[in-house]
Structures are given as C-alpha cells and as structure tokens.
C-alpha cells in the first residue's frame, strides 16, 4: 500500500467520518477506484487507525463543550451518563438484532458469512446514501422554518433513547451516515442543534473503542502474514495523524453549517452521491 493511497484514504476518512455524508461509503468507493481490496488485513488495520485518529479529533474539538455542559456538576454528569448508557444500549440492541436478522436471512446456509461481506456492494450503499440524504434534507428544511435557537437545550432521556435507537440502524448499512442520522433525528425531536451535535459525537466516542476492538479481533483471526501487517503499521500511524487533522477541519465545517441553517445542503450532497455511486455500480465497480 503506497503512501499516496494512505494519505488519500486518511483525508477522505477524516472528512467524511465526521461530516454527515457516510465515511464508509466514500472510503469503499475510493478503495475501488484505487484498486484496493477493502477486506484485506492491511486495509483493516489502516481503517482501525484512521478511526482512532478521528476519535481523538472529536475529543479535542468537543472537550471544552462537554466539560461546560456535562461535567459542570455531579447531577449534570449523572444525567448525561444515564442518557449515554441507555442510548448506547439501544444502539447495540437495534444494531445487533438487525445484523443478526440480515445474517440469518440473506446469508442463510452460509456458515462463515457475516454482515461485513455486504459492505463493498455499491448497489446497497447507493440507497442507504439516498435515505440518509432525505432524512438530513427534511431535518434541515424543517428547522430552517423555526426561529433560530428555538430548539430545546435540555435533552431528555426519551429523546436520547430515540437517537440511540436510530444510531443502531446505521451500523449494518454502509452509506447511512451515523452523524447525519443522529443529529437530524435530534433536530426533528426539537433539540437545539448545538446540543444534539455535542451529544451525537459523545455517543461516537463511546461507540468507537468497541468497534475498533471488534475490527482488531477480526484481524487477529485472519490469516494475514505478520510481515504484511508490520509493514503497514507505521504508515497507518501517519494516516491516523492525517485523519485527525482532516477531522478537526470537518468538525469546524459541520458546526458552521449547523449554526447558519445550511444543514440541508449535506442532504443534497448525499442524494447526488447516491446517484454517483449507483452509476459506478452500473459501469462495473
């Protein structure tokens, strides 16, 4: 894997992971265009490191906001912890049940097949991108009609539970943006944009380590020669740094568009991207 490929993938991952446009969809398309195998162990290691880089970008960017909102007092922290725990549990329940359903139906009779085997299929990514685009577009247009700042700054347990359940729908479907779905859901529930943005990315930080550990577990079970992974490891660390920088830029972009009523533009982009991905599928990618 060349340094050029790693830098390209790191920039795409860093931007698309934190913008509501689905990093997985963009990374899969980029891998296909670059002639890379998304399922290869070195690629898995690289993506684990890129996810780690974007996770630290989220922590650095939101730390001051989280400290002033969630850690200002013990009652505030207890309320936040309860919301995160319930939302994350619902994410696991919904996502796990949906994954199991797909594996037991789509992969019936194939004992070694798993949900990851679908992730490179552009014909499935395109409709997921389209669905995310519609959700983002609707949420953006609905909130534009409200007066600025009219959303509630208080996130209830019920609202956080719905956000967590929606997050669970995103896992099995590459193209259905996690941040796009959770932030849009919060906006439609009447939560202030800045508050739901901070909560959505707090959920992401909680969710990322288990996802990374799961990918490392899959990597450990693979038949990859240790030498191939060692040669990729150092470049993957560099890729994580590039993804971290790109992630910070993406978060500034996202916050600015949220605050200036331009969230719906991300939805338009997802719809255009869905059409582009479908076209790539029809020509053989």
């Amino acid at each position: 894997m060349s340094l050029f490929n790693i830098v390209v993938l790191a920039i795409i991952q860093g931007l698309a992971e934190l913008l509501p446009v689905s990093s997985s969809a963009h990374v899969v398309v980029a891998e296909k265009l670059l002639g890379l195998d998304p399922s290869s162990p070195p690629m898995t290691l690289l993506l684990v490191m890129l996810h780690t880089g974007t996770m630290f970008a989220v922590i650095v960017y939101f730390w001051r906001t989280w400290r002033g909102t969630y850690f200002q007092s013990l009652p505030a922290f207890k309320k936040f912890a309860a919301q995160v725990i319930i939302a994350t549990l619902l994410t696991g329940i919904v996502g796990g049940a949906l994954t199991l359903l797909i594996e037991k139906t789509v992969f019936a009779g194939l004992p070694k097949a798993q949900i990851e085997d679908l992730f490179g299929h552009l014909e499935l990514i395109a409709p997921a991108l389209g669905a995310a685009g519609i959700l983002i577009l609707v949420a953006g247009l609905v909130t534009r009609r409200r007066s600025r700042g009219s959303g509630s700054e208080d996130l209830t347990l019920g609202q956080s539970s719905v956000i967590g359940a929606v997050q669970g729908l995103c896992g099995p479907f590459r193209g259905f943006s996690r941040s796009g779905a959770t932030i849009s859901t919060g906006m439609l529930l009447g939560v202030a944009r800045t508050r739901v943005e901070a909560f959505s990315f707090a959920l992401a930080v909680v969710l990322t380590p288990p996802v990374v550990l799961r990918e490392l577990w899959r990597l450990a079970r693979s038949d990859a020669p240790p030498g191939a992974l060692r040669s990729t490891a150092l470049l993957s660390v560099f890729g994580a740094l590039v993804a971290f920088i790109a992630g910070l830029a993406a978060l500034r972009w996202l916050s600015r568009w949220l605050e200036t009523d331009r969230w719906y533009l991300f939805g338009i982009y997802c719809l255009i991207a869905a059409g582009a991905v479908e076209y790539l599928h029809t020509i053989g990618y």
Side-chain angles (χ1 to χ4, degrees):
M1 192 183 305
S2 70
L3 180 61
F4 172 78
N5 287 344
I6 287 177
V7 171
V8 169
L9 291 175
I11 292 173
I12 292 173
Q13 172 71 24
L15 291 174
E17 172 74 11
L18 303 178
L19 293 175
V21 296
S22 177
S23 65
S24 53
H26 286 73
V27 169
V28 168
V29 170
E31 288 169 343
K32 289 181 176 291
L33 293 176
L34 292 170
L36 301 173
D37 179 9
S39 62
S40 68
M43 185 62 64
T44 300
L45 176 61
L46 172 63
L47 292 180
V48 165
M49 294 303 298
L50 297 186
H51 276 291
T52 303
T54 53
M55 180 185 70
F56 280 107
V58 170
I59 293 172
V60 169
Y61 185 83
F62 282 104
W63 177 246
R64 183 176 296 178
T65 299
W66 292 340
R67 186 177 60 187
T69 304
Y70 302 133
F71 303 113
Q72 59 177 326
S73 66
L74 184 58
F77 175 74
K78 287 182 177 179
K79 180 179 179 181
F80 166 68
Q83 291 173 339
V84 167
I85 290 170
I86 296 298
T88 303
L89 284 175
L90 285 170
T91 295
I93 292 170
V94 173
L98 191 54
T99 297
L100 184 62
L101 176 64
I102 293 172
E103 291 180 345
K104 294 298 184 182
T105 54
V106 177
F107 296 137
L110 300 174
K112 292 187 178 181
Q114 51 188 340
I115 192 71
E116 285 81 7
D117 295 332
L118 295 177
F119 287 171
H121 290 255
L122 299 188
E123 71 274 21
L124 301 178
I125 291 175
L129 266 172
I134 292 172
L135 177 59
I136 294 168
L137 184 61
V138 169
L141 293 178
V142 167
T143 54
R144 274 174 66 89
R145 295 181 179 180
R146 301 173 184 161
S147 59
R148 181 167 296 183
S150 62
S152 172
E153 290 290 340
D154 183 32
L155 182 69
T156 67
L157 186 60
Q159 290 168 332
S160 61
S161 299
V162 174
I163 292 170
V166 169
Q167 182 172 250
L169 298 175
C170 303
F173 300 110
R174 290 298 185 261
F176 199 71
S177 166
R178 188 211 65 83
S179 62
T182 54
I183 294 175
S184 294
T185 298
M187 291 165 64
L188 290 173
L189 291 173
V191 184
R193 287 165 285 187
T194 53
R195 176 54 63 91
V196 74
E197 177 192 22
F199 183 73
S200 171
F201 284 106
L203 289 182
V205 168
V206 172
L207 192 64
T208 298
V211 171
V212 167
L213 289 174
R214 183 172 186 271
E215 291 302 313
L216 289 175
W217 177 72
R218 292 181 61 238
L219 189 62
R221 294 181 61 200
S222 70
D223 299 325
L229 296 180
R230 282 196 297 268
S231 63
T232 308
L234 185 59
L235 289 175
S236 297
V237 172
F238 176 73
L241 177 61
V242 175
F244 171 82
I245 296 171
L248 288 176
L251 287 168
R252 291 190 180 95
W253 181 357
L254 185 149
S255 295
R256 187 163 59 247
W257 276 24
L258 261 178
E259 293 166 3
T260 55
D261 289 325
R262 288 183 284 178
W263 178 254
Y264 72 97
L265 294 177
F266 287 123
I268 294 174
Y269 173 83
C270 286
L271 293 174
I272 295 172
V277 170
E278 181 61 31
Y279 172 73
L280 288 174
H281 169 64
T282 61
I283 64 175
Y285 282 96

